[in-house]
């Protein structure tokens, strides 16, 4: 295991209701912040669908004295909208960003002036210099629209060449896919940290549906085990915590630079997994 402390971060999405937002900002953030993460991040609906709620949540987390990284997924947003957001975040003292292409929801039109995330990274650097520490997305199991494994890594390098500082991966359950990916990235000259994105198992039906869309593989043995529990939700949760703890332990023991938890706005099971890991 590396001597360096792994970086831990937690991802939120903007809740749809005031009550959900209140709960997230009080109970959830207090409980997760006790784990001492490097930052929280807040997703942004491509096409601006969460423009105000992302901005509002980011501002509230920052106002509580907690480090926060807004996601910026341009979708069909214009350059002017992105520039306004950057100015807003700078003014609020935000110094991190997660820069993405985003997936535009159907019916919201196509992409705006930019087509790929490397252009957004370039744009942010052109407008704000070195102000932001920029994260980008990486795909150990390959982005679903990628032309090939190699082209996907090549374009990840393009995002670093444009000025990104580090990456966070799409979630995965096959630990080998992550370490193989790190080796392949290193082989083409990527020398920046690639943090492991980890999804806790909360609602398996939703997870299975989303995994099919984003191209993350849930190993057959995990699916079979969960199916065998039927409606016994407690056993599913217990098994999910066991599997994800084991995955994270292997990542940390093998030198992953950090873990980014897709919290789904829930304290548990992320807190229990972190406890199991001694974080
Ligand atoms: P890109 O890097 O542009 O890649 C998209 C595809 O194009 C890939 O197949 C790639 O191989 C290819 N490609 C990349 N660059 C080029 C190029 N220059 N020329 C040709 N092809 C290229 N989505 C949201 O809407 N909001 C969020 O807040 C959000 N947060 C996320 C956080 C993380 C950590 C991750 C992993 C994903 C997140 N997503 C989010 C999902 C993400 O927007 C989608 O996966 C999207 O489809 C791709 O985004 P990207 O930034 O990786 O795009």
């Amino acid at each position: 295991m590396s001597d360096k402390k792994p970086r831990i971060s937690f991802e939120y999405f903007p809740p749809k209701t005031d009550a959900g937002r209140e709960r997230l900002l009080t109970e959830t953030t207090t409980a997760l912040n006790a784990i001492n993460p490097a930052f929280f991040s807040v997703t942004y609906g491509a096409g601006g669908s969460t423009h105000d709620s992302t901005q509002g949540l980011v501002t509230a987390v920052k106002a509580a004295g907690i480090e926060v990284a807004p996601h910026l997924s341009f979708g069909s947003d214009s350059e002017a909208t992105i520039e306004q957001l950057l100015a807003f975040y700078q003014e609020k003292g935000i110094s991190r960003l997660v820069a993405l292409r985003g997936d535009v929801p159907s019916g919201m039109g196509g992409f705006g002036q930019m087509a790929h995330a490397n252009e957004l990274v370039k744009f942010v650097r052109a407008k704000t210099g070195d102000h932001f520490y920029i994260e980008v997305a990486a795909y150990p199991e390959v982005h679903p629209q990628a032309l090939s494994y190699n082209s996907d890594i090549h374009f990840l390098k393009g995002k670093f060449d444009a000025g990104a500082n580090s990456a966070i991966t799409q979630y995965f359950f096959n630990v080998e896919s992550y370490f193989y990916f790190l080796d392949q990235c290193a082989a083409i000259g990527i020398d920046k940290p690639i943090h492991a994105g980890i999804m806790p198992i909360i609602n398996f039906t939703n997870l299975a549906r989303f995994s099919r869309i984003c191209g993350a593989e849930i190993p057959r043995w995990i699916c079979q085990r969960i199916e065998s529990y039927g409606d016994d939700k407690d056993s599913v949760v217990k098994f999910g915590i066991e599997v994800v703890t084991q995955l994270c332990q292997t990542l940390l023991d093998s030198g992953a630079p950090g873990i980014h938890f897709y919290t789904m706005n829930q304290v548990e099971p992320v807190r229990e997994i972190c406890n199991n890991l001694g974080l």
Side-chain angles (χ1 to χ4, degrees):
M1 175 146 75
S2 144
D3 291 341
K4 223 172 142 228
K5 215 171 162 278
R7 190 187 85 175
I8 301 300
S9 50
F10 297 127
E11 182 171 308
Y12 285 164
F13 57 84
K16 287 205 167 70
T17 63
D18 288 346
R21 183 177 183 276
E22 191 52 30
R23 195 169 45 250
L24 190 67
L25 284 169
T26 50
E27 291 161 37
T28 312
T29 303
T30 304
L32 292 178
N33 199 39
I35 298 165
N36 210 8
F39 63 94
F40 286 76
S41 79
V42 181
T43 63
Y44 183 77
S49 57
T50 68
H51 183 282
D52 296 349
S53 50
T54 297
Q55 254 185 328
L57 187 58
V58 165
T59 309
V61 175
K62 182 69 184 173
I66 297 170
E67 189 80 358
V68 59
H71 293 208
L72 203 55
S73 54
F74 56 86
S76 54
D77 277 356
S78 68
E79 290 190 354
T81 305
I82 297 168
E83 211 173 333
Q84 275 165 12
L85 273 171
L86 292 174
F88 176 86
Y89 289 137
Q90 263 190 303
E91 196 232 301
K92 294 285 173 202
I94 309 279
S95 56
R96 289 177 178 274
L97 275 184
V98 184
L100 306 136
R101 182 193 75 176
D103 291 316
V104 183
S106 58
M108 282 193 69
F111 290 102
Q113 287 115 310
M114 301 181 206
H116 293 290
N118 64 309
E119 293 163 64
L120 178 60
V121 176
K122 201 167 149 210
F123 183 80
V124 175
R125 286 285 175 242
K127 296 294 171 188
T128 63
D130 285 337
H131 177 82
F132 291 104
Y133 181 98
I134 305 177
E135 312 266 352
V136 289
Y139 302 86
E141 294 182 341
V142 190
H143 184 264
Q145 290 155 7
L147 297 175
S148 68
Y149 191 100
N150 284 345
S151 79
D152 215 24
I153 295 184
H154 166 81
F155 289 128
L156 173 60
K157 183 163 187 302
K159 296 193 269 195
F160 284 120
D161 291 344
N165 299 95
S166 64
I168 298 172
T169 72
Q170 182 58 277
Y171 67 85
F172 56 87
F173 294 97
N174 294 305
V175 75
E176 297 81 6
S177 69
Y178 172 75
F179 285 110
Y180 182 76
F181 181 73
L182 292 194
D183 287 347
Q184 298 306 304
C185 288
I188 63 158
I190 295 176
D191 57 0
K192 301 280 195 326
I194 300 177
H195 302 95
I198 293 296
M199 180 70 89
I201 300 174
I202 298 175
N203 177 325
F204 187 68
T205 310
N206 288 350
L207 179 68
R209 184 175 350 104
F210 187 60
S211 300
R212 278 192 292 276
I213 297 168
C214 73
E217 188 186 71
I218 309 178
R220 183 176 150 79
W221 67 272
I222 294 183
C223 296
Q224 293 289 320
R225 192 75 192 117
I226 287 177
E227 272 165 29
S228 75
Y229 292 126
D231 292 334
D232 179 359
K233 288 203 171 66
D234 289 348
S235 294
V236 172
V237 169
K238 193 162 165 269
F239 173 71
I241 290 171
E242 207 178 290
V243 166
V244 176
T245 299
Q246 187 56 53
L247 170 62
C248 294
Q249 190 68 64
T250 308
L251 286 167
L252 298 178
D253 289 349
S254 309
I259 297 180
H260 179 81
F261 287 99
Y262 297 101
T263 69
M264 308 308 287
N265 292 359
Q266 313 263 342
V267 174
E268 305 296 355
V270 167
R271 177 167 56 184
E272 192 163 344
I273 293 165
C274 289
N275 277 344
N276 292 344
L277 295 166
L279 293 171

